[in-house]
Amino acid sequence: LQPQGPEEARAFVNAFLKSSMPKKKDEAIQDILTRKAVVLEHYCKKQKKQKRKKPKGFTAKQRREMRLFEIEPEQQRYAIFLPLHELWKQYIRDLCHGLKPDTQPHMVQSKLLKADLHGAIVTVTKSKCPSYVGITGIILQEFKHVFKIITKEDKLKVVPKLNNVFSLEIDGFISYIYGSKFQLRASERSARKFKLKGTIDL
């Protein structure tokens, strides 16, 4: 670097201050130079915060069009889902800390009401529609208002929860589900409080 003379230094300072303080006039800049301290101004453009877009899931119509929840006919066989039932039984045993003869029935009932029922074997014991009574099978899908059940005859039955009573048996414990009071999605039941006693009319 070559040393600059006083004139060159003054010209550089003037040019630097003018670029650093574009809103000030030359007279104001010269006035600032006579002071001991120079406060440089910096103007920055405010950046707009971009809102993060939450990923949108599929709509109910899109899910129907894509047939996401439909079980193919060749997969509608009872034997295919027996291992699922065995997994479900182990899941319930773990949930209830082991089903022993001295286990309190109301404790098992309260756990079952909030448990995931996919894989459970249920039977329709009471119904306002006689054609539903006696249907037994493994629950493949649970929706807010219906169960989809595969029977031993390899038939997929869609049974509404409304006006139906279902029985569920595991290791000698029999629990009854009143579908009219059970119209919730499986994911919503864990936070729901159920009354274990009371009369329910079909």
Side-chain angles (χ1 to χ4, degrees):
L1 294 175
Q2 294 180 356
Q4 293 182 338
E7 293 297 327
E8 292 175 340
R10 187 178 294 107
F12 170 79
V13 171
N14 286 333
F16 176 75
L17 292 176
K18 192 169 183 180
S19 63
S20 300
M21 296 180 287
K23 292 186 178 182
K24 291 190 178 295
K25 296 181 179 179
D26 292 340
E27 294 81 5
I29 293 175
Q30 292 301 323
D31 182 59
I32 291 173
L33 283 174
T34 59
R35 303 175 188 176
K36 293 182 179 180
V38 176
V39 179
L40 300 179
E41 298 177 5
H42 177 66
Y43 298 95
C44 60
K45 294 181 180 180
K46 292 183 178 180
Q47 295 181 352
K48 293 182 179 179
K49 292 184 179 179
Q50 295 182 350
K51 294 182 179 179
R52 292 183 179 179
K53 293 183 179 179
K54 294 182 179 180
K56 294 182 179 180
F58 295 117
T59 63
K61 184 180 179 181
Q62 288 174 328
R63 288 196 293 267
R64 286 194 298 271
E65 291 174 350
M66 296 172 69
R67 303 174 66 186
L68 292 178
F69 298 115
E70 291 190 20
I71 301 172
E72 298 297 331
E74 60 271 15
Q75 300 296 325
Q76 296 177 14
R77 289 190 290 138
Y78 185 84
I80 292 178
F81 298 99
L82 281 174
L84 175 64
H85 175 60
E86 294 300 320
L87 287 173
W88 180 83
K89 287 197 295 185
Q90 188 58 50
Y91 154 67
I92 294 299
R93 292 183 186 117
D94 294 341
L95 187 67
C96 298
H97 308 292
L99 292 172
K100 301 175 183 179
D102 59 346
T103 304
Q104 295 296 324
H106 69 272
M107 188 275 289
V108 179
Q109 175 77 359
S110 63
K111 295 286 187 182
L112 287 174
L113 286 173
K114 295 187 177 185
D116 192 326
L117 297 179
H118 293 90
I121 293 180
V122 295
T123 301
V124 181
T125 55
K126 292 182 181 179
S127 177
K128 276 192 173 181
C129 181
S131 62
Y132 288 128
V133 177
I135 292 177
T136 302
I138 300 173
I139 294 178
L140 300 188
Q141 293 175 312
E142 180 187 355
F143 299 95
K144 185 174 182 178
H145 298 292
V146 299
F147 287 121
K148 282 190 177 182
I149 299 171
I150 187 74
T151 67
K152 290 182 178 180
E153 293 77 24
D154 296 336
K155 292 183 179 180
L156 187 65
K157 301 284 187 180
V158 180
V159 182
K161 295 179 180 180
L162 184 65
N163 297 327
N164 285 327
V165 179
F166 304 85
S167 66
L168 186 153
E169 187 271 335
I170 177 172
D171 294 349
F173 290 91
I174 299 176
S175 178
Y176 292 93
I177 297 171
Y178 290 86
S180 299
K181 300 295 182 181
F182 208 68
Q183 297 188 80
L184 295 165
R185 293 180 177 87
S187 59
E188 297 173 352
R189 287 204 311 272
S190 60
R192 181 70 180 266
K193 292 183 179 180
F194 293 93
K195 293 181 180 179
L196 300 181
K197 295 182 181 179
T199 57
I200 301 175
D201 296 328
L202 288 179

